Amino acid sequence: MSDKVVSMPNEERFQARIDAEEKIEPKDWMPEKYRQNLIRQISQHAHSEVIGEQPEGNWITRAPSLERKAILLAKVQDEAGHGLYLYAAAETLGITREELIERLHTGASKYASIFNYPSLTWADVGAIGWLVDSAAIVNQVSLQNTSYGPYARAMVRICKEESFHQRQGYNIMMTLMQGNEQQRAMAQDALNRWWWPSLMMFGPHDGESAHSAQSMKWKIKRRSNDDLRQQYVDQAVQQALAIGLEVPDPDLVWNESRGHYDFGEIDWAEFERVINGNGPCNRQRLAHHVKAHEEGAWVREAMAAYDAKRGKPTVDVA
Amino acid sequence: MTANDSLLTYCLRLGDDALILGHRLSEWTSRAPFLEEDIALTNVALDFIGRARLFYQYAAELQGGDATEDTFAYTRDVRDFTNLLICELPRGDFAFTIARQFLYDSYVLLFMEQLKASKDTRLAAIGAKAEKESTYHVRRGREWMLRLGGGTEESHAKLQRAVDDLWGYTDEIFEVDTVTAGLIADGVAVDPTLLREEWLATVSRVMAEADLSQPSPGWSVEGGRRGIHTDDLGFLLAELQFMQRAYPGLQW
Ligand SMILES: [Fe+2]
Ligand SMILES: [Fe+2]
């Protein structure tokens, strides 16, 4: 290392590493705000995977065929696994799983607001897999290059599993669209209800995003909300049209000069309403997680007691 | 009953056991005591659902016509289901699930080791696949029995209670009726009575390791193989079969 680099203050040297596309590892020096920003983002991502088990999971016992049931079980199991990778990545930043879950339960930490919508029909399982996982993939692919090493590596593992999720969801929609009138209506209704929330997954417009500018500078985020949203819309619209679904946006139109779809404005009041606790299922989603966690307390205690008796270090599994 | 009918009945019994228990396990998804266990329980559920499909697929071939694996899962009523009662009992608390799995899986492992040697090559293939899964299920079950039995006073009490509540359902596992007897004579079916001693030795050993007292015998419930079930199965099927009942005959 040259003298010049050594004489740089920590913060500048850190930014120089980021600018040089070096990965930041858990033991490296990092600004406290970088750490906190990452904990916020990774834990929100982890909670989303776990809370996301619920809307699809509630169709496991009602799946319409054994093959669909097996696929859905595998899919939801993957999502729980993603939660696990991400909690592990967050823990490298010096926070425990118990603390992360505590923050979820107190509302200090968020999860993807889209999971506050209900999955009312079987078509919703298709719509979630197709749209929500598509949106997640667009976002997660960009995060494979995020500056924090453990987060980037978790994204690489997760992305490998996501394409199956998207395909199974789209396949459900396609099958419904090839079915009878009732099935096609079920698919269209699901798209009507999930379309706008899926666009909201990318967050506020770039100018209005509270954490965006700093996150881009630190390369925690690699692409802007609007940029990612546009890519998602371009893909999903084509896929909808290919199977005869109508996208519920009167302003949607192909813009030849931009080479992208123009689309209508998101209802940001609705976005705020759901984020702030007024979606159809906010209370149930959280209560479901709290209940499972509380009912499992005696099991975690038993495991810790058993390990302690045998002189094994306790694993934090909260 | 022709040999084909007996074999069909046998496949449905084994398929029903796997489907109904897999359903109960799948009820844990997103509800387990912690995330690793959520994944593990979902994984075991998936093993049982996969096993049910293999038995039903074979049954569909034996039945012929338009039958598919889903015909058996989705269009039969309570009286047609022939699963063991132990498989249908509500999921209960985590101790109950662990105890049920341990008691049942310990049997299933011995069963599949034998089924692997069936003269029926399809059953033998299913047995070989299931044996691998069950080896893991039993290992996992034993670890949990020891943890809960040797964990806290509370976990010990809950586990003891679960084993006590389940014990009377274990007799049924070893029943042989005329259908099974015929298939056993042909070298197709497994004779469960020959597995009982080893099963009892295994579960007794682990219960002792887990510091549990042997449940008192003295009660014993059966009926599943004849379609006599607890009240719970009807509700389970109402949920399981909802889509096929609400929208009959469609592809999904
Ligand atoms: Fe995921
Ligand atoms: Fe996914």
Side-chain angles (χ1 to χ4, degrees), chain A residues 20-33:
Chain A
E21 295 288 329
E22 272 180 53
K23 288 277 175 267
I24 307 302
E25 296 299 334
K27 291 203 166 67
D28 296 348
W29 185 88
M30 62 186 83
E32 191 47 31
K33 280 196 170 152

Side-chain angles (χ1 to χ4, degrees), chain A residues 49 56 75-76 78-79 82 128-129 132-134 136-137 140 158 161-166 168:
Chain A
E49 301 281 0
E56 289 175 289
K75 198 267 185 187
V76 175
D78 278 355
E79 304 299 6
H82 296 173
I128 294 172
V132 178
D133 285 75
S134 281
I137 291 169
Q140 289 170 163
I158 287 173
E161 294 173 352
E162 290 290 0
S163 68
F164 146 66
H165 298 176
Q166 194 273 348
Q168 65 87 33

Side-chain angles (χ1 to χ4, degrees), chain A residues 114-148:
Chain A
I114 195 158
F115 297 124
N116 291 316
Y117 292 91
S119 54
L120 302 176
T121 72
W122 170 249
D124 290 31
V125 175
I128 294 172
W130 169 36
L131 301 173
V132 178
D133 285 75
S134 281
I137 291 169
V138 167
N139 187 38
Q140 289 170 163
V141 164
S142 83
L143 289 173
Q144 289 180 334
N145 292 316
T146 189
S147 58
Y148 187 57

